[in-house]
């Protein structure tokens, strides 16, 4: 039994929305997420095709579906090749007091010369040691072979006594990055909970405790440097809670 026009319209709108998102993710080199959206959108278009009676519309739908299927297949082949090259979904567990898990050692296999844009979602870039962690992460991006031009940070605002320190600290980091030709885009959200890092070459990293997986330094740090400099800070020991680290 064919679906009503209203039902087909709603499915067409849903398909268009999902496929538009797929194209956006594709253009951002977020291939794994793009593939999921392409597959979902294709399924929706197939449902629309089944309920369509007009031959011309059917022909147009088949062409669209064929185009999206070709692109999805190409992405799948690319991702399969990445897996064959050793770049596949994996999970790392970092035990308490472990060493050797600097940002460089964890992220280096996902960074290459094609990386231009990075997204960091972490609700706890507030206190001084957390600001230092973010600073060192940015420093690592600058030192790597990638040519990062934009870093997006989505975090939560400290509504307590540390609010001004957080604002000033992030502003100092922003100015320092600007001196290195890198734009830091800051955004605050009161509803952010998950911790995630994305690179525009398609890799997405989920870290259980975000960038804040080192034990706090024993010394009291009261300021942030205005210039990014080499440091041994990230060679510290892992904080008491076991750290889950996922790469997609």
């Amino acid at each position: 039994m064919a679906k009503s026009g209203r039902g087909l319209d709603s499915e067409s709108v849903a398909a268009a929305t999902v496929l538009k998102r797929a194209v956006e993710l594709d253009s951002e080199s977020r291939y794994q997420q793009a593939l999921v959206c392409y597959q979902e959108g294709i399924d929706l278009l197939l449902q629309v095709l089944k309920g369509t009676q007009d031959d011309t519309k059917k022909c147009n739908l088949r062409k669209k579906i064929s185009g999206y299927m070709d692109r999805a297949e190409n992405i799948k082949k690319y991702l399969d090749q990445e897996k064959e090259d050793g770049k596949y979904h994996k999970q790392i567990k970092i035990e308490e007091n472990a060493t050797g898990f600097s940002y460089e050692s964890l992220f280096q296999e996902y960074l290459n010369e094609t990386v231009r844009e990075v997204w960091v979602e972490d609700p706890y870039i507030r206190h001084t040691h957390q600001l230092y962690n973010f600073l060192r992460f940015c420093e690592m991006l600058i030192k790597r072979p990638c040519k990062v031009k934009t870093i997006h940070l989505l975090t939560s605002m400290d509504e307590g006594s540390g609010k001004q320190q957080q604002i000033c600290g992030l502003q100092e980091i922003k100015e320092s990055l600007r001196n290195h030709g890198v734009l830091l885009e800051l955004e605050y959200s009161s509803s952010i909970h998950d911790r995630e890092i994305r690179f525009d070459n398609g890799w997405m990293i989920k870290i259980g405790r975000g960038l804040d997986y080192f034990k706090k330094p024993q010394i009291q740090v009261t300021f942030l440097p205005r210039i990014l400099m080499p440091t041994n800070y990230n060679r510290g020991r892992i904080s008491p809670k076991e750290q889950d680290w996922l790469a997609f």
Side-chain angles (χ1 to χ4, degrees), residues 37-77:
C37 288
Y38 276 127
Q39 291 170 336
E40 182 181 346
I42 290 168
D43 287 341
L44 289 169
L45 280 183
L46 286 171
Q47 293 300 316
V48 174
L49 179 61
K50 288 180 181 179
T52 301
Q53 302 299 317
D54 184 271
D55 289 337
T56 301
K57 289 183 178 180
K58 279 186 175 181
C59 182
N60 290 333
L61 281 170
R62 289 193 183 100
K63 288 181 180 179
K64 286 184 179 180
I65 292 170
S66 178
Y68 287 126
M69 289 181 72
D70 287 344
R71 181 54 188 161
E73 182 61 27
N74 287 334
I75 291 177
K76 187 176 183 303
K77 288 179 180 178

Side-chain angles (χ1 to χ4, degrees), residues 71-202:
R71 181 54 188 161
E73 182 61 27
N74 287 334
I75 291 177
K76 187 176 183 303
K77 288 179 180 178
Y78 170 80
L79 293 174
D80 287 344
Q81 185 60 52
E82 291 287 289
K83 292 176 183 178
E84 288 183 13
D85 293 340
K87 299 178 180 180
Y88 52 86
H89 169 250
K90 66 180 180 180
Q91 181 174 7
I92 299 173
K93 285 188 178 293
I94 305 175
E95 304 292 340
E96 177 183 355
N97 291 321
T99 58
F101 291 96
S102 67
Y103 295 146
E104 286 85 353
S105 65
L106 288 178
F107 291 105
Q108 62 183 353
E109 67 177 296
Y110 307 106
L111 294 170
N112 54 39
E113 65 278 359
T114 67
V115 177
R116 296 290 187 277
E117 202 163 3
V118 179
W119 291 262
V120 179
E121 296 182 8
D122 191 326
Y124 297 107
I125 308 295
R126 300 179 180 181
H127 304 300
T128 303
H129 72 282
Q130 294 167 340
L131 292 166
Y132 257 108
N133 288 336
F134 179 64
L135 175 70
R136 299 316 172 199
F137 175 77
C138 294
E139 181 184 70
M140 181 267 302
L141 293 175
I142 292 175
K143 291 192 298 184
R144 296 307 305 171
C146 54
K147 299 177 177 61
V148 172
K149 294 300 180 184
T150 306
I151 300 172
H152 303 269
L153 173 62
L154 176 63
T155 189
S156 60
M157 177 71 75
D158 189 333
E159 297 299 340
S161 59
K163 181 176 181 178
Q164 192 59 36
Q165 173 184 273
Q166 179 191 25
I167 293 173
C168 291
L170 287 174
Q171 185 59 38
E172 288 189 21
I173 294 174
K174 184 171 185 174
E175 291 175 4
S176 183
L177 286 168
R178 185 184 296 119
N179 292 334
H180 286 76
V182 178
L183 174 65
L184 174 61
E185 294 280 3
L186 297 172
E187 185 178 351
Y188 298 95
S189 171
S190 59
S191 59
I192 179 176
H193 298 290
D194 294 337
R195 297 162 174 85
E196 178 179 297
I197 296 172
R198 302 190 306 273
F199 303 126
D200 64 354
N201 61 356

